[in-house]
């Protein structure tokens, strides 16, 4: 048993792959989300003075609370979760939460004359989360301020990308987990410049900094120094020894026990589980086990139809769209026909 300031990680945790064989618990993920969401409203930031926005448009009708909770979300994926993908995904599922590709804060700041190219999206894509990355507080503040008027439903900071371009030369992404104080400051800056909730997506650690104690230290400091109440946990550590992002999704072992221990040890926070969950049945198994929400990555892209077509009915208990694959195809402009014929076949 490992302890961190009163927190502990038991070694008797049941591996995730066996949870589908267990008797279903009496548990309402929806009720849990509603109860916890009342604790996540933004508090005044100690960093707000320096980075306080001016003349920002407010979104009294926007924000996470008007939508169903993020029991199911599609992970932010570079070159994958672009506007085209999100348009198709939203036709298939009305309730899945969608994420943008990660946008570097510096890119947003330096492209002020062409922001629509990077930030614009159709109203039908709600609920949608903007993920940004960066390691400069001024750039993060300015990027958030510029993005605020676009009406995203949540702003997420990337603290999990292991790409050499991001975590290596860029010195952000998962490398930020080594500096929880900075992440707390960055999250306060983001919250001070937006009208919607904020969240962090991270790994369970990186390289030799992979103990449960260190993960707890990161979560505790970020949530104490900022209004962040929602963390998306990729249940693998990252290896920054030059391996590819693909290998970082395969080689480090999944440690779901870290995620479920966080649920116990930080009851006032919300945690979404990510990593190795590939179908709706596995999503529901995680929710029954107590997960507040589940994020699915490559499976939601590679098996677009077979995954998203069942989300509304099987996860949210809502009527499905009733659309056939051909009807989805007919709603998209003809120039994307080949794209849809490929991806709607799975």
């Amino acid at each position: 048993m490992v302890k961190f300031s009163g927190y502990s990680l038991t070694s008797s945790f049941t591996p995730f792959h066996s949870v589908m064989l267990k008797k279903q618990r009496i548990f309402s993920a929806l009720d849990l989300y509603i109860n916890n969401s009342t604790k996540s409203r933004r508090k005044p930031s100690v960093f707000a003075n320096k980075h306080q926005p001016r003349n920002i448009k407010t979104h009294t009708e926007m924000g996470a609370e008007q939508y169903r909770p993020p029991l199911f979300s599609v992970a932010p994926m570079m070159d994958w979760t672009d506007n085209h993908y999100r348009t198709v995904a939203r036709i298939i599922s009305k309730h899945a939460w969608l994420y943008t590709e990660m946008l570097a804060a510096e890119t947003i700041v330096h492209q002020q004359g062409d922001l629509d190219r990077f930030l614009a999206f159709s109203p039908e894509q709600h609920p949608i989360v903007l993920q940004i990355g960066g390691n400069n507080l001024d750039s993060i503040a300015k990027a958030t301020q510029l993005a605020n008027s676009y009406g995203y439903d949540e702003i997420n900071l990337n603290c999990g990308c292991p790409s050499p371009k991001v975590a290596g030369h860029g010195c952000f992404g998962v490398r930020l987990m080594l500096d929880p104080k900075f992440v707390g400051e960055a999250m306060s800056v983001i919250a001070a410049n937006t009208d919607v909730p904020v969240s962090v997506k991270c790994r369970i650690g990186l390289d030799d900094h992979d103990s449960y104690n260190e993960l707890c230290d990161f979560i505790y400091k970020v949530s104490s120094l900022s209004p962040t109440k929602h963390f998306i946990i990729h249940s693998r550590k990252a290896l920054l020894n030059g391996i590819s992002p693909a290998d970082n999704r395969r080689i480090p072992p999944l440690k779901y026990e870290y995620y479920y221990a966080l649920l116990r040890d930080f009851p006032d926070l919300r945690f979404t589980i990510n990593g190795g969950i590939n179908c709706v049945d596995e999503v529901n198994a995680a929710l029954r086990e107590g997960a507040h929400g589940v994020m699915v990555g490559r499976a939601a892209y590679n098996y677009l139809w077979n995954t998203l077509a069942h989300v509304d009915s099987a996860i949210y208990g809502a009527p499905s769209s009733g659309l056939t694959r051909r009807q989805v195809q007919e709603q998209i402009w003809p120039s994307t026909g080949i794209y849809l014929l490929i991806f709607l076949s799975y």
Side-chain angles (χ1 to χ4, degrees):
M1 180 179 294
V2 180
K3 293 185 177 180
F4 166 80
S5 301
Y7 307 119
S8 61
L9 175 65
T10 60
S11 59
S12 60
F13 175 79
T14 303
F16 177 75
H17 63 262
S18 69
V19 301
M20 294 178 64
L21 302 178
K22 298 176 66 174
K23 183 177 180 180
Q24 181 174 342
R25 298 178 179 183
I26 302 175
F27 170 80
S28 170
L30 178 60
D31 290 343
L32 179 58
Y33 176 90
I34 292 173
N35 290 337
N36 284 338
S37 67
T38 62
K39 304 173 183 177
S40 64
R41 292 185 174 87
R42 178 152 53 95
K43 295 179 288 186
S45 166
V46 295
F47 304 96
N49 290 336
K50 179 179 178 182
H51 299 282
Q52 186 65 38
R54 292 175 293 177
N55 300 322
I56 288 294
K57 175 183 176 182
T58 60
H59 306 289
T60 56
E61 298 298 320
M62 304 301 294
E65 294 184 357
Q66 69 168 315
Y67 302 107
R68 298 201 181 204
L71 303 181
F72 180 98
S73 55
V74 178
M77 295 177 282
M78 293 297 294
D79 299 322
W80 290 30
T81 51
D82 57 15
N83 245 318
H84 300 300
Y85 171 82
R86 298 195 307 266
T87 297
V88 179
R90 180 56 71 221
I91 292 174
I92 299 172
S93 171
K94 302 303 181 186
H95 301 299
W97 280 66
L98 305 178
Y99 279 64
T100 67
E101 306 169 87
M102 185 196 73
L103 277 174
E106 299 281 352
T107 298
I108 297 173
V109 172
H110 292 143
Q111 296 291 334
Q112 293 187 47
D114 193 20
L115 284 179
D116 283 359
R117 173 187 170 196
F118 297 93
L119 295 173
F121 61 93
S122 64
E124 291 76 19
Q125 289 184 30
H126 289 291
I128 181 172
V129 179
L130 170 66
Q131 186 184 72
I132 62 175
N135 63 1
N136 179 279
L137 291 180
D138 290 322
S139 294
I140 290 172
K142 183 62 175 177
T144 306
Q145 181 179 346
L146 291 169
N148 192 50
S149 62
Y150 282 84
Y152 286 93
D153 301 298
E154 185 172 300
I155 307 294
N156 177 268
L157 181 66
N158 185 318
C159 295
C161 180
S163 165
K165 293 182 179 179
V166 173
H169 299 300
C171 292
F172 59 102
V174 73
R175 193 173 290 276
L176 292 181
M177 290 193 70
L178 297 176
D179 192 355
K181 180 177 182 294
F182 172 83
V183 175
E185 293 174 354
M187 295 309 297
S188 288
V189 163
I190 293 171
N193 285 276
T194 186
D195 305 314
V196 296
V198 298
S199 61
V200 167
K201 187 176 190 295
C202 63
R203 295 255 179 161
I204 59 171
L206 68 157
D207 294 333
D208 294 331
H209 303 276
D210 60 351
S211 70
Y212 182 66
N213 290 16
E214 290 167 295
L215 177 60
C216 286
D217 181 68
F218 176 81
I219 299 295
Y220 175 79
K221 287 181 178 176
V222 173
S223 61
S224 298
L225 293 171
S226 76
T228 309
K229 301 300 178 187
H230 181 202
F231 292 82
I232 298 96
I233 307 294
H234 187 149
S235 300
R236 291 183 176 92
K237 74 174 182 178
L239 297 173
L240 301 184
N241 59 359
I243 69 172
S244 69
D247 284 340
N248 255 303
R249 295 189 298 270
R250 178 180 59 85
I251 295 176
L254 287 160
K255 294 188 176 181
Y256 293 119
E257 62 267 29
Y258 279 34
Y259 171 82
Y260 286 102
L262 291 175
L263 300 185
R264 178 196 66 217
D265 293 334
F266 295 91
D268 291 334
L269 302 179
R270 290 188 291 113
F271 296 98
T272 293
I273 191 171
N274 174 228
I277 300 175
N278 297 312
C279 65
V280 167
D281 285 343
E282 292 177 356
V283 171
N284 275 326
L287 293 173
R288 289 195 297 269
E289 194 69 10
H292 299 163
V294 181
M295 176 176 280
V296 176
R298 264 66 189 169
Y301 186 94
N302 292 328
Y303 307 101
L304 175 60
W305 178 263
N306 285 341
T307 302
L308 294 186
H310 304 288
V311 166
D312 292 356
S313 58
I315 295 175
Y316 287 96
S320 66
S321 66
L323 295 174
T324 65
R325 302 182 200 203
R326 181 171 294 278
Q327 288 171 324
V328 172
Q329 169 73 70
E330 291 172 351
Q331 291 194 34
I332 305 298
W333 52 94
S335 63
T336 60
I338 295 178
Y339 172 91
L340 290 179
L341 287 174
I342 292 174
F343 291 98
L344 289 181
S345 62
Y346 296 98

